[in-house]
Amino acid sequence: MQTIKAAVCRAFGEPLVIEEVQLAPPGTGEVEVTLDAVAICHSDISYAEGAWGGFLPAVYGHEAAGVISAVGEAAGDFKIGDPVVVTLIRACGTCPSCAGGKPTICGTPYDTVKGPLKTGDGGPLEQAMACGAFAEKVVVSHRQIVKIPETLPKDLASLLSCGVITGVGAAVNAADLRPGRDVVVIGAGGVGLNAIQGARIAGARRIVAVDTTEEKLEIAKEFGATHGVLASLDQPWKAAYKALGGRGADAVLITVGAIPAYDQAPRYLGRGGKAIMIGMPHSGDMASYEPVVLAALGQGVVGSKMGDVVIQRDIPWMVDLYEQGRLKLDELISGRWSLDQINEAIADTKTGSAKRNVILFDRT
Ligand SMILES: [Zn+2]
Ligand SMILES: [Zn+2]
């Protein structure tokens, strides 16, 4: 066991507490990564607010990048010093989901409370989302990480591990967009902007962003949206039809957690269109739709976790896209903070005006 500094959730809805915790060395198939950057995702905030329950105390944080500092037995070809992205996708590789090409919905359980973390006095401490990355170091499965170039700054790299793969992956993998398709993206936040640039990369004909402020619609256009629609309109889908030449969309990507967005999403669909649920509403929240319309028009509503990505395939592709100038990463970061400032960074994210806030670790 070694002692590291982490931001710990001791009570839902309360500020995180910076404290010393214990981290076990990597076991079989695992590596230790010393972190340079971890971004704050809305999922971290939902967990910290108690929206999805879970064990306490816990360490959240799952959008991270750093350098391998220890390697366990049978941990692939990773070695100390490799720069990597750390994701929450702890896939077993052999269950029906993994073998079927969908490691994001791996069915093999992993007990996050019996993971590598303990409190300073040796008590149980949850390694939330199999990462626990609001900490100086993590111990994770080698299947959760992907090597990245030395030259890719870690703050940008950290974004690849959740927001970018979720948004771009939803457009490319889940919605299976092809050139010429029309797309509506509901929400132009961290994931929404990536869904928009994913639709652009996939060759969409028209991309309509729907959000609550003109300012966010303008930012959406920088990422590839061709049109913007204010969600506050009486029937915003009608404005979207107009932008799409009088018809509904081939795909609607719902990137927010607000239930009205789920209730309204099918309204934006054209014949044969598909709505992809990407945002994560709180447990127990229900949405409604009219089955006869979906049946008659051959439409679908489907969930997508983490953009249905295969990280070993998709993250190197996205790194190339960035290096070729086809994927925006720099523009996604709205603030950089230290671990000690994490509660301020979370408060800033909750205002809704931020894109991604990133915690940088001082390793000097
Ligand atoms: Zn996330
Ligand atoms: Zn699996």
Side-chain angles (χ1 to χ4, degrees), residues 16 79 87 143 185 197 249 275 318 326 356 363:
L16 303 180
K79 55 186 191 309
T87 76
R143 294 181 189 276
V185 177
Q197 60 176 342
M318 291 175 195
R326 299 159 68 199
R356 270 299 197 253
R363 295 215 266 126

Side-chain angles (χ1 to χ4, degrees), residues 74-206:
D77 59 356
F78 291 102
K79 55 186 191 309
I80 291 174
D82 284 345
V84 293
V85 158
V86 179
T87 76
L88 59 75
I89 306 166
R90 192 176 173 116
C92 73
T94 53
C95 74
S97 297
C98 287
K102 279 229 186 167
T104 52
I105 49 169
C106 173
T108 302
Y110 167 68
D111 190 338
T112 52
V113 180
K114 290 185 179 151
L117 289 172
K118 293 251 185 282
T119 59
D121 56 8
L125 175 61
E126 184 184 26
Q127 182 198 30
M129 293 164 275
C131 282
F134 287 160
E136 293 171 316
K137 295 181 179 185
V138 294
V139 166
V140 294
S141 163
H142 75 283
R143 294 181 189 276
Q144 285 173 259
I145 64 173
V146 176
K147 257 186 242 185
I148 53 171
E150 300 270 0
T151 49
L152 184 65
K154 301 294 192 303
D155 50 353
L156 303 181
S158 72
L159 307 179
L160 290 172
S161 69
C162 178
V164 174
I165 56 177
T166 300
V168 175
V172 174
N173 297 326
D176 195 21
L177 287 180
R178 284 148 208 263
R181 298 270 164 94
D182 284 323
V183 183
V184 168
V185 177
I186 303 179
V191 173
L193 292 174
N194 285 301
I196 288 167
Q197 60 176 342
R200 172 174 51 74
I201 290 162
R205 180 180 179 192
R206 290 165 292 209

Side-chain angles (χ1 to χ4, degrees), residues 254-262 279-282 285:
I254 315 155
T255 69
V256 295
I259 288 304
Y262 290 81
M280 292 278 184
H282 291 188
D285 286 356

